[in-house]
Amino acid sequence: MLHGYGTGEHAPGLKLDDDSLSACWETFCQAHSLGQKALHRADGENLVGVASTGAVCYPASQAPEDVEAARQGTFALPLGPRTFSHTLALDPLCLGEEYEKPDFIGLNLYQGAPVRAGENGPETLPFPAGFPRTALGWPITPEALEWGPRFLAERYGLPLVVSENGLACTDRVFLDGAVHDPLRIDFLTRYLRALERAIEQGTDVRGYFQWSLTDNFEWAEGYDPRFGLAYVDYATGDRTLKDSGRWYREVIRSNGADL
């Protein structure tokens, strides 16, 4: 919503004024609620969720005051309609009375921000020089996949699904004909271990979806960043299972025991 209708970065490339963008959020909530009601009428066993890509903060330390600061930062009211927060969609749908409450929450999560308690409220800490980042420049912060689900479960009291998580790389076919992507294996290991910690703390996580099965067209960035477990030769359509794909297959087969 924000990037497609506010900043114009993504399709459909609109740059609406603040009032119009706020109307888009309201329309989104109404449409989701109506669609959910229709699916429930069609089959009472249908489970319908809503996915959010809001910001996630994680505590700079285990100190209770830093944990509370990170919680506040994750759900801080946006500075304006052009700032994305979970509160914009999830609060009306999950906490309000106007719309039908979803059955679960999906969380599209790739990164987070470290936060500590400051004299005037939560303080976001800068990343040091040389901090590990993805091919898109996103900081690699596995802690976000522990604290994000925990905070959302606490606030909304609903089961969670990690609907997107993964690593953008500049993968290539090596001389041996294989696609070696150890950075993705390392990334997913760290993030899945963090998610496991959230589950151990009692967070009701029903599923995890790695983005993506294959390389794909990535919004405004096009074909350059590759998220897939399988490499796609865009000229021929040929696909090559990456090292991470074989590794992930064993993770699934062992139900995470190999992590």
Side-chain angles (χ1 to χ4, degrees), residues 3 5 13 43 50-51 66 76 82 104 132 142 151 153 160 162 170-171 175 188 227 240 242-243 247 249 254:
H3 295 303
Y5 292 86
D43 186 341
V50 57
D66 286 347
R82 297 181 185 279
F104 65 91
F151 289 152
L160 288 162
V162 179
T170 54
D171 300 318
L175 290 173
L188 292 176
F227 279 92
T240 303
K242 302 175 187 179
D243 288 353
W247 169 85
R249 178 176 57 197
S254 70

Side-chain angles (χ1 to χ4, degrees), residues 52 77 99 105:
S52 178
L77 290 174
Y99 307 111
I105 293 173

Side-chain angles (χ1 to χ4, degrees), residues 23-37:
C24 286
W25 280 114
E26 183 177 356
T27 301
F28 163 80
C29 291
Q30 292 174 345
H32 183 277
S33 184
L34 289 172
Q36 177 171 314
K37 289 178 181 178

Side-chain angles (χ1 to χ4, degrees), residues 25 36 47 58 86 102 113 137 205 227:
W25 280 114
Q36 177 171 314
L47 296 179
Y58 60 89
H86 293 291
V205 178
F227 279 92

Side-chain angles (χ1 to χ4, degrees), residues 37 148 165 192:
K37 289 178 181 178
N165 173 249
L192 288 172

Side-chain angles (χ1 to χ4, degrees), residues 101-114:
K101 190 174 183 178
D103 300 309
F104 65 91
I105 293 173
L107 182 59
N108 297 350
L109 180 57
Y110 296 86
Q111 58 180 302

Side-chain angles (χ1 to χ4, degrees), residues 201-225:
Q201 292 294 323
T203 305
D204 186 358
V205 178
R206 301 291 177 88
Y208 170 90
F209 294 88
Q210 201 282 148
W211 185 263
S212 168
L213 177 61
T214 63
D215 296 330
N216 64 291
F217 188 89
E218 183 58 31
W219 293 94
E221 288 77 19
Y223 289 112
D224 286 338

Side-chain angles (χ1 to χ4, degrees), residues 162-243:
V162 179
S163 39
E164 281 189 29
N165 173 249
L167 175 68
C169 291
T170 54
D171 300 318
R172 63 187 184 276
V173 179
F174 283 71
L175 290 173
D176 61 1
V179 180
H180 305 298
D181 56 342
L183 295 179
R184 181 170 290 105
I185 294 174
D186 181 83
F187 176 99
L188 292 176
T189 300
R190 293 174 186 269
Y191 273 72
L192 288 172
R193 286 176 178 176
L195 183 61
E196 184 178 36
R197 292 194 294 271
I199 294 172
E200 291 172 347
Q201 292 294 323
T203 305
D204 186 358
V205 178
R206 301 291 177 88
Y208 170 90
F209 294 88
Q210 201 282 148
W211 185 263
S212 168
L213 177 61
T214 63
D215 296 330
N216 64 291
F217 188 89
E218 183 58 31
W219 293 94
E221 288 77 19
Y223 289 112
D224 286 338
R226 294 177 178 269
F227 279 92
L229 298 174
Y231 180 92
V232 178
D233 184 325
Y234 295 125
T236 65
D238 292 341
R239 303 183 181 190
T240 303
L241 191 62
K242 302 175 187 179
D243 288 353

